[in-house]
Structure formats: structure tokens, C-alpha cells
Amino acid sequence: MGAIAGRKALERAADVVGDQVDLILHASIYHQGRDHHWNSAPYIQRELGITDAFALNVEGMSNGGMAAIDLATAQLEAGRGTSALVTTADRFCPPGFDRWRGSYGIVFGDGSTAMVLSTTGGFARIHAIASTTDASLEPLHRGTAPFTSAYGVVADENLRTPKKSYLEEVGTESVLRRAEETMTGAISKVLDRTGHKLDDFARILVPNMGHGLMEDQFFKPLGIPAERTVWNWGRHAGHLGAGDLTAAVTRLVEKKEVSPGDLVLLIGTGGGYSVTVAVLEIESVPEWHETTTDFDLPAGVTE
């Protein structure tokens, strides 16, 4: 899946980067086809026929895709290449994971994404990007279970159990407060660099979650309505592992829901607790065939 998305992204960026790719970063949050002793990023590199590039996996849970963009941006700004490919891919399936009940307030969707970063051109420009981690929230995804000594498929593995034990220990309010402080701190960093404020952004993109969770983690803290995000699409697509933000940008461009000059704020979050925020300016809107999936609502259900 990651190779398929990467191939499409490179086709779209062919006029800018040609066949020159210096860095490949692949992010995911779930099983990639082999348990261990295997690196999936070089698989994507080989499938795409890319030579003379460095390929590496990034483990950042749901923030992995955004963190990879930050790392790739730093590499390019340091002059260690002119182009990078960031891919994500996840498939949530039995026996290891129940996409419907695997976590509180989140339904997981299968999907892959890819983004090409270049120092020589593109349809959008990253003006600022910043990442931070509040490690005090690390136990939220670990819980109290002991460490294990080997890989293995656990039937119906879920994120509810560790979250429940940690929430019972410290309280929901404590978790939400620290998560909000970490997120707003990262947002302040990029806004200070660019001189923008939240009202300047045509869209604010956040991970795909249920409305209640998004209300607590994003809408209320930022004082924004759901309509400024792509929630009406994301609630049907589901949480695409590390790829929500890349898919959301693609969605906006393919549906022509942004215009040249529009600013888009990307807010990625992931277990750990890590946050990556980026300020993106749309410089042109390419004519792309739609690849992000539309969803037919059941009879009687409206947007």
C-alpha cells in the first residue's frame, strides 16, 4: 500500500523532482507484514525502483507521518538532498486488532498516503514546522502490563486497556490538560515564527477521530468549529494510522476546497505524547484525479 501511494505521489511530482529522491521515510502504527528483522522502508524503495537514496522507518504512532515530514524537512534544509518521499500505510484487521473497538472514540481505517518534499518547487510551501513531546503521558499507551520478551500476535489487541488503567490513576482532566498544553505550545512555536494567528488559516487539519474526542482535544482548546477541519470526511474514512494529515491535504487539493494563497495548519498528535505542527501555504491547485475515497451515507443519514 505504501508503495502504491508513493508511486502516485512521485507521478504527480515528476515535473519537479523527476527520478531524484534522496530520502524515503515510511511511518506506520501497526503490523507491516513481518514481525521483526525487517525494514519496510527499503521495500518501498525497491518497489519504486529508487536508487542512491536513504530509506528508514519512523515509529511515532499516529504522529509518525507528520514527524517524518519534520525530519525530512530538516534534512533538506541542511542541504543533504533536494527531495524526499514520506509514505504511510496501515491495515487494521483480525486477529490482532478490532478496528471498531480497538480504542476509545476512534474507528481505524485502512489506507496509505505519500507526500513528496522538494527544495525546487511544488504546489504548496511549508513555512514552519515544529515537534515536541510530553513524555509524562507515555504511560497512556503502555498501561501497567509488564514488558514482554518476544513478538507475537495478541488476539484483539487494543488501546483501551492501557488507557483505562492510566486514566483511572491520574484522571481524564489531567491527561487532557497536559495534551492541550503540549499541542498549544507547538502551535505557538510555528505561529511565532510566521507571525500568523489561528484566524488566518483557511483550514486547520487534525487527526481523524470521533466528534466527542475531537471536541475535547482540538475544537474546544483551539476555539474552532468542526467545519474548519475535514471532519465530515475523516469520520467516514477513519483513523488512517500515521497518514491522516497527508490524506487531508490531498483531499482538500483534489476536491479544490483550497485556493492559491490559502494557509493550512496541520496538527499531528501521537502516543508518547508527541505533537508536530506545520504551517502550509497553498501556492497552486493542481488538476488531480481524486484518489481519496468518497463515502455514500446510509439512507436517512445526513452530513
Coordinates of all heavy atoms in Angstrom, one line a residue, residues 112-205:
S112 N -3.2 4.3 2.7 CA -1.9 4.6 2.6 C -1.8 6.0 2.0 O -2.7 6.5 1.3 CB -1.1 3.7 1.7 OG -1.7 3.6 0.4
T113 N -0.7 6.8 2.3 CA -0.5 8.1 1.8 C 0.9 8.3 1.4 O 1.8 7.6 1.8 CB -0.9 9.2 2.9 OG1 0.1 9.2 3.9 CG2 -2.2 8.9 3.6
A114 N 1.1 9.4 0.7 CA 2.5 9.7 0.3 C 2.6 11.2 0.1 O 1.7 11.8 -0.5 CB 3.0 8.9 -0.9
M115 N 3.7 11.8 0.4 CA 4.0 13.2 0.1 C 5.4 13.4 -0.3 O 6.3 12.8 0.2 CB 3.8 14.1 1.4 CG 4.1 15.6 1.2 SD 3.8 16.5 2.7 CE 2.0 16.5 2.8
V116 N 5.6 14.1 -1.4 CA 6.9 14.4 -1.9 C 7.3 15.8 -1.4 O 6.6 16.8 -1.6 CB 7.0 14.4 -3.4 CG1 8.4 14.8 -3.9 CG2 6.7 12.9 -3.9
L117 N 8.5 15.9 -0.8 CA 9.0 17.2 -0.4 C 10.2 17.6 -1.3 O 11.0 16.7 -1.6 CB 9.5 17.2 1.1 CG 8.4 16.8 2.1 CD1 9.1 16.6 3.5 CD2 7.3 17.8 2.2
S118 N 10.3 18.8 -1.7 CA 11.3 19.2 -2.6 C 11.8 20.7 -2.3 O 11.0 21.5 -1.9 CB 10.9 19.1 -4.1 OG 11.8 19.7 -5.0
T119 N 13.1 20.9 -2.5 CA 13.6 22.3 -2.4 C 13.5 23.1 -3.7 O 13.8 24.3 -3.7 CB 15.1 22.2 -2.0 OG1 15.8 21.6 -3.0 CG2 15.3 21.5 -0.7
T120 N 13.0 22.5 -4.7 CA 12.9 23.1 -6.0 C 11.6 23.5 -6.5 O 11.5 24.2 -7.6 CB 13.6 22.2 -7.1 OG1 12.9 21.0 -7.2 CG2 15.1 21.9 -6.7
G121 N 10.5 23.1 -5.8 CA 9.2 23.6 -6.2 C 8.1 22.7 -5.7 O 8.4 21.7 -5.0
G122 N 6.8 23.0 -6.0 CA 5.7 22.2 -5.6 C 4.5 23.0 -5.6 O 4.5 24.3 -5.8
F123 N 3.3 22.4 -5.2 CA 2.1 23.2 -5.2 C 1.8 23.9 -3.9 O 0.9 24.8 -3.8 CB 0.9 22.2 -5.4 CG 0.5 21.3 -4.3 CD1 -0.4 21.7 -3.3 CD2 1.2 20.1 -4.1 CE1 -0.7 20.9 -2.3 CE2 0.9 19.3 -3.1 CZ -0.1 19.7 -2.1
A124 N 2.6 23.6 -2.8 CA 2.5 24.2 -1.5 C 3.8 24.4 -0.9 O 4.8 23.7 -1.3 CB 1.5 23.4 -0.6
R125 N 3.9 25.3 0.1 CA 5.2 25.6 0.7 C 5.0 25.4 2.2 O 4.0 26.0 2.8 CB 5.6 27.0 0.4 CG 7.0 27.4 1.0 CD 7.3 28.8 0.6 NE 7.4 29.0 -0.8 CZ 8.5 28.8 -1.5 NH1 9.6 28.4 -0.9 NH2 8.5 29.0 -2.8
I126 N 6.0 24.8 2.9 CA 6.0 24.7 4.3 C 6.8 25.9 4.9 O 8.0 26.0 4.6 CB 6.7 23.4 4.8 CG1 5.9 22.2 4.4 CG2 6.8 23.4 6.3 CD1 6.5 20.8 4.7
H127 N 6.0 26.8 5.6 CA 6.7 28.0 6.1 C 7.3 27.7 7.5 O 8.3 28.4 7.8 CB 5.7 29.1 6.2 CG 5.3 29.7 4.9 ND1 6.2 30.5 4.2 CD2 4.2 29.7 4.2 CE1 5.6 30.9 3.1 NE2 4.4 30.4 3.0
A128 N 6.8 26.8 8.2 CA 7.3 26.5 9.6 C 6.8 25.1 10.0 O 5.7 24.7 9.7 CB 7.0 27.5 10.6
I129 N 7.6 24.4 10.8 CA 7.2 23.1 11.3 C 7.9 22.9 12.6 O 9.1 23.3 12.8 CB 7.5 22.0 10.3 CG1 6.9 20.7 10.8 CG2 9.0 21.8 10.1 CD1 6.8 19.6 9.7
A130 N 7.3 22.3 13.6 CA 7.9 22.1 14.9 C 7.3 20.9 15.6 O 6.1 20.5 15.3 CB 7.6 23.3 15.8
S131 N 8.1 20.2 16.3 CA 7.7 19.0 17.0 C 8.1 19.0 18.5 O 9.1 19.6 18.8 CB 8.3 17.7 16.4 OG 7.9 17.6 15.0
T132 N 7.3 18.4 19.3 CA 7.6 18.3 20.8 C 7.0 17.1 21.4 O 6.0 16.5 20.8 CB 7.1 19.6 21.5 OG1 7.6 19.6 22.8 CG2 5.6 19.6 21.5
T133 N 7.5 16.7 22.5 CA 7.0 15.5 23.2 C 6.8 15.8 24.7 O 7.7 16.4 25.3 CB 7.9 14.3 23.1 OG1 8.1 14.0 21.7 CG2 7.4 13.1 23.8
D134 N 5.7 15.4 25.3 CA 5.5 15.4 26.7 C 5.5 13.9 27.2 O 4.5 13.2 27.1 CB 4.1 16.0 27.1 CG 3.9 16.0 28.6 OD1 4.7 15.5 29.3 OD2 2.9 16.6 29.1
A135 N 6.7 13.5 27.6 CA 6.8 12.1 28.0 C 6.1 11.7 29.2 O 6.0 10.5 29.5 CB 8.3 11.8 28.1
S136 N 5.5 12.7 30.0 CA 4.8 12.3 31.2 C 3.5 11.5 30.8 O 2.9 10.8 31.6 CB 4.4 13.6 32.0 OG 3.3 14.3 31.3
L137 N 3.1 11.7 29.5 CA 1.9 11.0 29.0 C 2.2 9.6 28.3 O 1.3 9.0 27.8 CB 1.1 11.9 28.0 CG 0.4 13.1 28.7 CD1 0.0 14.0 27.6 CD2 -0.8 12.6 29.5
E138 N 3.5 9.2 28.3 CA 3.9 8.0 27.7 C 3.1 6.8 28.3 O 2.7 5.9 27.6 CB 5.4 7.8 27.9 CG 5.9 6.4 27.5 CD 5.9 5.4 28.6 OE1 6.0 5.8 29.8 OE2 5.7 4.2 28.3
P139 N 2.8 6.7 29.6 CA 2.1 5.5 30.2 C 0.7 5.4 29.6 O 0.1 4.3 29.8 CB 2.1 5.8 31.7 CG 3.2 6.8 31.9 CD 3.2 7.6 30.7
L140 N 0.1 6.4 29.0 CA -1.2 6.3 28.5 C -1.4 5.2 27.5 O -2.5 4.6 27.4 CB -1.6 7.7 27.8 CG -3.1 7.8 27.3 CD1 -4.1 7.7 28.4 CD2 -3.2 9.1 26.5
H141 N -0.4 4.9 26.7 CA -0.4 3.8 25.7 C 0.3 2.6 26.2 O 0.3 1.6 25.4 CB 0.1 4.3 24.4 CG -0.7 5.3 23.7 ND1 -0.8 6.6 24.0 CD2 -1.6 5.1 22.6 CE1 -1.7 7.2 23.2 NE2 -2.2 6.3 22.4
R142 N 0.9 2.6 27.4 CA 1.6 1.4 27.9 C 0.8 0.7 29.0 O 0.8 -0.5 29.0 CB 3.0 1.8 28.4 CG 3.8 0.7 29.1 CD 5.2 1.1 29.3 NE 5.3 2.4 30.0 CZ 5.3 2.5 31.4 NH1 5.1 1.5 32.1 NH2 5.4 3.7 31.9
G143 N 0.2 1.5 29.8 CA -0.6 0.9 30.9 C 0.3 0.3 32.0 O 1.5 0.7 32.1
T144 N -0.2 -0.8 32.7 CA 0.6 -1.4 33.8 C 1.0 -2.8 33.5 O 1.6 -3.4 34.3 CB -0.3 -1.4 35.0 OG1 -1.5 -2.1 34.7 CG2 -0.7 0.0 35.5
A145 N 0.8 -3.3 32.3 CA 1.2 -4.7 32.0 C 2.7 -4.7 31.9 O 3.4 -3.8 31.5 CB 0.6 -5.1 30.6
P146 N 3.3 -5.9 32.2 CA 4.8 -6.0 32.2 C 5.3 -6.0 30.8 O 4.6 -6.3 29.8 CB 5.0 -7.3 32.9 CG 3.8 -8.1 32.7 CD 2.7 -7.1 32.7
F147 N 6.6 -5.7 30.6 CA 7.2 -5.8 29.3 C 7.3 -7.3 28.9 O 7.3 -8.2 29.8 CB 8.6 -5.3 29.4 CG 8.7 -3.8 29.5 CD1 9.0 -3.1 30.6 CD2 8.4 -3.0 28.4 CE1 9.1 -1.8 30.7 CE2 8.4 -1.6 28.4 CZ 8.8 -1.0 29.6
T148 N 7.2 -7.5 27.6 CA 7.3 -8.9 27.1 C 8.7 -9.2 26.5 O 9.5 -8.2 26.3 CB 6.3 -9.1 26.0 OG1 6.5 -8.2 24.9 CG2 4.9 -8.9 26.6
S149 N 9.0 -10.4 26.2 CA 10.3 -10.8 25.7 C 10.3 -11.2 24.3 O 11.4 -11.6 23.8 CB 10.9 -11.9 26.6 OG 10.0 -13.0 26.6
A150 N 9.2 -11.2 23.6 CA 9.1 -11.6 22.2 C 7.9 -11.0 21.5 O 7.0 -10.6 22.1 CB 9.1 -13.2 22.1
Y151 N 8.0 -11.0 20.1 CA 6.9 -10.5 19.3 C 5.9 -11.6 19.3 O 6.1 -12.8 19.6 CB 7.4 -10.3 17.9 CG 8.2 -9.0 17.7 CD1 9.6 -9.1 17.7 CD2 7.6 -7.8 17.5 CE1 10.4 -7.9 17.5 CE2 8.3 -6.6 17.3 CZ 9.7 -6.7 17.3 OH 10.5 -5.6 17.2
G152 N 4.7 -11.3 18.9 CA 3.6 -12.3 18.7 C 2.3 -11.6 18.5 O 2.1 -10.5 19.0
V153 N 1.4 -12.2 17.8 CA 0.1 -11.7 17.6 C -0.8 -11.9 18.8 O -0.9 -13.1 19.3 CB -0.6 -12.3 16.4 CG1 -2.1 -11.8 16.3 CG2 0.2 -11.9 15.1
V154 N -1.3 -10.9 19.4 CA -2.3 -11.0 20.5 C -3.7 -10.8 20.0 O -4.0 -9.7 19.4 CB -1.9 -9.9 21.6 CG1 -2.9 -10.0 22.7 CG2 -0.5 -10.1 22.1
A155 N -4.5 -11.7 20.2 CA -5.9 -11.6 19.7 C -6.6 -10.4 20.3 O -6.5 -10.2 21.5 CB -6.7 -12.9 20.0
D156 N -7.2 -9.6 19.4 CA -8.0 -8.5 19.8 C -7.1 -7.5 20.6 O -7.6 -7.0 21.6 CB -9.2 -8.9 20.5 CG -10.2 -9.6 19.7 OD1 -10.3 -9.3 18.5 OD2 -10.9 -10.5 20.2
E157 N -5.9 -7.3 20.2 CA -5.1 -6.3 20.9 C -5.8 -4.9 20.8 O -6.4 -4.6 19.8 CB -3.7 -6.2 20.2 CG -2.7 -5.2 20.8 CD -1.4 -5.1 20.0 OE1 -1.3 -5.9 19.1 OE2 -0.6 -4.3 20.4
N158 N -5.7 -4.2 21.9 CA -6.4 -2.9 21.9 C -5.7 -1.8 22.7 O -4.8 -2.2 23.5 CB -7.9 -3.1 22.4 CG -7.9 -3.4 23.9 OD1 -7.8 -2.5 24.7 ND2 -8.0 -4.7 24.2
L159 N -6.1 -0.6 22.5 CA -5.5 0.5 23.2 C -6.4 0.9 24.4 O -6.0 1.8 25.2 CB -5.4 1.7 22.3 CG -4.4 1.5 21.1 CD1 -4.5 2.7 20.1 CD2 -3.0 1.2 21.5
R160 N -7.5 0.3 24.6 CA -8.4 0.7 25.6 C -7.9 0.3 27.0 O -8.0 1.1 28.0 CB -9.8 0.0 25.5 CG -10.6 0.5 24.3 CD -12.0 0.0 24.3 NE -12.8 0.5 23.1 CZ -14.1 0.7 23.2 NH1 -14.8 0.4 24.2 NH2 -14.7 1.1 22.1
T161 N -7.3 -0.9 27.1 CA -6.8 -1.4 28.4 C -5.8 -0.5 29.0 O -5.9 -0.1 30.2 CB -6.3 -2.9 28.3 OG1 -7.4 -3.7 27.8 CG2 -5.9 -3.4 29.6
P162 N -4.7 -0.2 28.3 CA -3.7 0.7 28.9 C -4.2 2.1 29.2 O -3.9 2.7 30.2 CB -2.5 0.7 27.9 CG -3.2 0.3 26.6 CD -4.2 -0.7 27.0
K163 N -5.1 2.6 28.3 CA -5.6 3.9 28.5 C -6.5 3.9 29.8 O -6.5 4.9 30.6 CB -6.4 4.4 27.3 CG -5.6 4.8 26.1 CD -6.4 5.3 25.0 CE -5.5 5.8 23.8 NZ -6.3 6.3 22.7
K164 N -7.3 2.9 29.9 CA -8.2 2.8 31.1 C -7.5 2.8 32.4 O -7.8 3.6 33.3 CB -9.1 1.6 31.0 CG -10.1 1.5 32.1 CD -11.0 0.2 32.0 CE -12.0 0.1 33.1 NZ -12.8 -1.1 33.0
S165 N -6.4 2.0 32.5 CA -5.6 1.9 33.7 C -5.0 3.3 34.1 O -4.9 3.7 35.2 CB -4.6 0.8 33.6 OG -3.6 1.1 32.6
Y166 N -4.5 4.0 33.0 CA -3.8 5.2 33.3 C -4.8 6.3 33.6 O -4.6 7.2 34.5 CB -3.0 5.7 32.1 CG -2.1 6.9 32.3 CD1 -1.1 6.8 33.2 CD2 -2.3 8.1 31.7 CE1 -0.3 7.9 33.5 CE2 -1.5 9.2 31.9 CZ -0.5 9.1 32.8 OH 0.3 10.2 33.0
L167 N -5.9 6.4 33.0 CA -7.0 7.3 33.3 C -7.5 7.2 34.7 O -7.8 8.1 35.4 CB -8.1 7.3 32.2 CG -7.8 7.7 30.8 CD1 -8.9 7.4 29.9 CD2 -7.5 9.2 30.8
E168 N -7.6 5.9 35.1 CA -8.1 5.7 36.5 C -7.1 6.1 37.5 O -7.5 6.5 38.6 CB -8.4 4.2 36.7 CG -9.6 3.7 35.9 CD -9.8 2.2 36.0 OE1 -8.8 1.5 36.4 OE2 -10.9 1.7 35.7
E169 N -5.8 6.1 37.1 CA -4.8 6.5 38.0 C -4.7 8.0 38.2 O -4.5 8.6 39.3 CB -3.4 5.9 37.6 CG -2.2 6.4 38.4 CD -0.9 5.9 37.9 OE1 -0.9 5.0 37.0 OE2 0.1 6.4 38.3
V170 N -4.7 8.8 37.1 CA -4.4 10.2 37.1 C -5.7 11.1 36.8 O -5.7 12.3 37.1 CB -3.3 10.6 36.1 CG1 -2.0 9.8 36.4 CG2 -3.7 10.4 34.7
G171 N -6.7 10.5 36.2 CA -7.9 11.2 35.9 C -7.9 11.8 34.5 O -6.8 12.2 33.9
T172 N -9.0 11.8 33.8 CA -9.1 12.3 32.5 C -8.7 13.8 32.3 O -8.1 14.2 31.4 CB -10.6 12.2 31.9 OG1 -11.0 10.8 32.0 CG2 -10.7 12.6 30.5
E173 N -9.1 14.6 33.3 CA -8.8 16.0 33.3 C -7.3 16.3 33.2 O -6.8 17.1 32.4 CB -9.4 16.7 34.5 CG -9.1 18.2 34.5 CD -9.7 19.0 33.3 OE1 -10.8 18.5 32.8 OE2 -9.1 19.9 32.8
S174 N -6.5 15.5 33.9 CA -5.0 15.7 33.9 C -4.5 15.4 32.5 O -3.6 16.1 32.0 CB -4.4 14.7 35.0 OG -3.0 14.7 34.8
V175 N -5.0 14.3 31.9 CA -4.5 13.9 30.6 C -4.8 15.0 29.6 O -4.0 15.4 28.8 CB -5.1 12.5 30.2 CG1 -4.7 12.2 28.7 CG2 -4.5 11.4 31.1
L176 N -6.1 15.4 29.6 CA -6.5 16.4 28.6 C -5.7 17.7 28.8 O -5.4 18.4 27.8 CB -8.0 16.7 28.7 CG -8.9 15.6 28.3 CD1 -10.4 15.9 28.5 CD2 -8.7 15.3 26.8
R177 N -5.5 18.1 30.0 CA -4.7 19.4 30.3 C -3.3 19.3 29.7 O -2.9 20.2 29.1 CB -4.7 19.7 31.8 CG -3.9 20.9 32.2 CD -3.9 21.1 33.7 NE -3.5 19.9 34.4 CZ -2.2 19.5 34.5 NH1 -1.2 20.2 34.0 NH2 -1.9 18.4 35.2
R178 N -2.6 18.2 30.0 CA -1.2 18.1 29.5 C -1.2 18.0 28.0 O -0.3 18.6 27.4 CB -0.6 16.9 30.2 CG -0.1 17.2 31.6 CD 0.5 15.9 32.3 NE -0.5 15.0 32.7 CZ -0.3 13.7 32.9 NH1 0.9 13.2 32.7 NH2 -1.3 12.9 33.3
A179 N -2.1 17.3 27.4 CA -2.2 17.1 26.0 C -2.4 18.5 25.3 O -1.8 18.9 24.3 CB -3.2 16.2 25.6
E180 N -3.3 19.3 25.9 CA -3.6 20.6 25.4 C -2.4 21.5 25.5 O -2.1 22.3 24.6 CB -4.8 21.2 26.2 CG -5.1 22.6 25.7 CD -6.3 23.2 26.5 OE1 -7.1 22.4 27.0 OE2 -6.4 24.5 26.5
E181 N -1.7 21.5 26.6 CA -0.5 22.3 26.8 C 0.6 22.0 25.8 O 1.2 22.9 25.3 CB 0.0 22.2 28.2 CG -0.9 22.8 29.3 CD -0.5 22.5 30.7 OE1 0.5 21.7 30.9 OE2 -1.0 23.1 31.7
T182 N 0.8 20.7 25.6 CA 1.8 20.3 24.6 C 1.4 20.7 23.2 O 2.2 21.2 22.4 CB 1.9 18.7 24.6 OG1 2.2 18.3 25.9 CG2 3.0 18.3 23.7
M183 N 0.1 20.6 22.8 CA -0.3 21.0 21.5 C -0.2 22.5 21.3 O 0.3 22.9 20.3 CB -1.8 20.5 21.2 CG -2.3 20.9 19.9 SD -4.1 20.5 19.7 CE -4.8 21.5 21.0
T184 N -0.8 23.2 22.2 CA -0.8 24.7 22.1 C 0.6 25.3 22.1 O 0.9 26.3 21.4 CB -1.6 25.4 23.1 OG1 -1.2 24.9 24.4 CG2 -3.1 25.0 23.0
G185 N 1.5 24.6 22.8 CA 2.9 25.0 22.8 C 3.6 24.9 21.5 O 4.3 25.8 21.0
A186 N 3.3 23.7 20.8 CA 3.9 23.5 19.5 C 3.2 24.5 18.5 O 3.9 25.0 17.6 CB 3.6 22.1 19.0
I187 N 1.9 24.7 18.6 CA 1.3 25.7 17.7 C 1.9 27.1 17.9 O 2.2 27.8 16.9 CB -0.2 25.7 18.0 CG1 -0.9 24.4 17.6 CG2 -0.9 26.9 17.2 CD1 -2.3 24.3 17.9
S188 N 2.1 27.5 19.1 CA 2.7 28.8 19.4 C 4.1 28.9 18.7 O 4.4 30.0 18.2 CB 2.8 29.0 20.9 OG 1.5 29.1 21.5
K189 N 4.9 27.9 18.7 CA 6.2 27.9 18.1 C 6.1 28.3 16.7 O 6.9 29.2 16.2 CB 6.9 26.6 18.3 CG 7.4 26.3 19.7 CD 8.1 25.0 19.8 CE 8.6 24.6 21.2 NZ 9.3 23.3 21.2
V190 N 5.2 27.6 15.9 CA 5.2 27.8 14.5 C 4.5 29.2 14.2 O 4.9 29.9 13.2 CB 4.5 26.7 13.7 CG1 5.3 25.4 13.8 CG2 3.1 26.5 14.2
L191 N 3.5 29.6 15.0 CA 2.9 30.9 14.7 C 3.8 32.0 15.0 O 3.8 33.1 14.4 CB 1.6 31.0 15.5 CG 0.5 29.9 15.2 CD1 -0.8 30.3 15.9 CD2 0.2 29.9 13.7
D192 N 4.6 31.9 16.1 CA 5.6 32.9 16.4 C 6.6 33.1 15.2 O 7.1 34.2 15.0 CB 6.4 32.5 17.7 CG 5.5 32.7 18.9 OD1 4.4 33.3 18.8 OD2 5.9 32.2 20.0
R193 N 7.0 32.0 14.6 CA 7.9 32.0 13.5 C 7.4 32.7 12.3 O 8.1 33.4 11.5 CB 8.4 30.6 13.1 CG 9.2 29.9 14.2 CD 9.6 28.5 13.8 NE 10.1 27.7 14.9 CZ 10.4 26.4 14.9 NH1 10.1 25.8 13.8 NH2 10.9 25.8 15.9
T194 N 6.1 32.5 12.0 CA 5.5 33.0 10.8 C 4.7 34.3 11.0 O 4.4 35.0 10.1 CB 4.5 32.0 10.2 OG1 3.4 31.7 11.1 CG2 5.3 30.7 9.9
G195 N 4.4 34.6 12.3 CA 3.6 35.8 12.6 C 2.1 35.7 12.3 O 1.4 36.7 12.3
H196 N 1.6 34.5 12.2 CA 0.2 34.3 11.9 C -0.5 34.0 13.2 O 0.0 33.8 14.3 CB 0.0 33.1 11.0 CG 0.5 33.3 9.6 ND1 1.6 32.6 9.1 CD2 0.1 34.1 8.6 CE1 1.9 33.0 7.9 NE2 1.0 33.9 7.5
K197 N -1.9 34.1 13.1 CA -2.8 33.7 14.2 C -3.8 32.7 13.6 O -3.9 32.5 12.4 CB -3.5 34.9 14.8 CG -4.2 35.7 13.8 CD -4.8 37.0 14.5 CE -5.6 37.9 13.6 NZ -4.8 38.4 12.5
L198 N -4.5 32.0 14.5 CA -5.4 30.9 14.0 C -6.4 31.4 13.0 O -6.8 30.7 12.1 CB -6.1 30.2 15.2 CG -5.2 29.3 16.1 CD1 -6.0 28.7 17.2 CD2 -4.6 28.2 15.2
D199 N -6.9 32.6 13.2 CA -7.9 33.2 12.3 C -7.4 33.3 10.9 O -8.2 33.5 9.9 CB -8.4 34.5 12.8 CG -9.3 34.4 14.0 OD1 -9.7 33.3 14.3 OD2 -9.5 35.4 14.7
D200 N -6.1 33.3 10.7 CA -5.5 33.4 9.3 C -5.6 32.2 8.5 O -5.4 32.2 7.3 CB -4.0 33.8 9.4 CG -3.8 35.2 10.1 OD1 -4.7 36.0 10.0 OD2 -2.8 35.4 10.7
F201 N -6.0 31.0 9.1 CA -5.9 29.8 8.4 C -7.3 29.4 7.8 O -8.3 29.4 8.5 CB -5.4 28.7 9.3 CG -4.0 28.8 9.7 CD1 -3.6 29.6 10.8 CD2 -3.0 28.3 8.9 CE1 -2.3 29.8 11.1 CE2 -1.7 28.4 9.2 CZ -1.3 29.2 10.4
A202 N -7.3 29.1 6.5 CA -8.5 28.7 5.8 C -9.0 27.3 6.4 O -10.2 27.1 6.5 CB -8.3 28.6 4.3
R203 N -8.0 26.4 6.7 CA -8.3 25.1 7.2 C -7.3 24.8 8.3 O -6.2 25.1 8.2 CB -8.3 24.0 6.1 CG -9.4 24.1 5.1 CD -10.8 24.0 5.7 NE -11.9 24.0 4.8 CZ -12.5 22.9 4.4 NH1 -12.2 21.7 4.9 NH2 -13.5 22.9 3.5
I204 N -7.8 24.1 9.3 CA -7.0 23.5 10.4 C -7.2 22.0 10.4 O -8.3 21.5 10.7 CB -7.3 24.2 11.7 CG1 -7.1 25.7 11.7 CG2 -6.5 23.5 12.9 CD1 -7.5 26.4 12.9
L205 N -6.2 21.3 10.1 CA -6.3 19.8 9.9 C -5.8 19.1 11.1 O -4.7 19.4 11.6 CB -5.5 19.4 8.7 CG -5.9 20.1 7.3 CD1 -5.1 19.5 6.2 CD2 -7.4 19.9 7.1

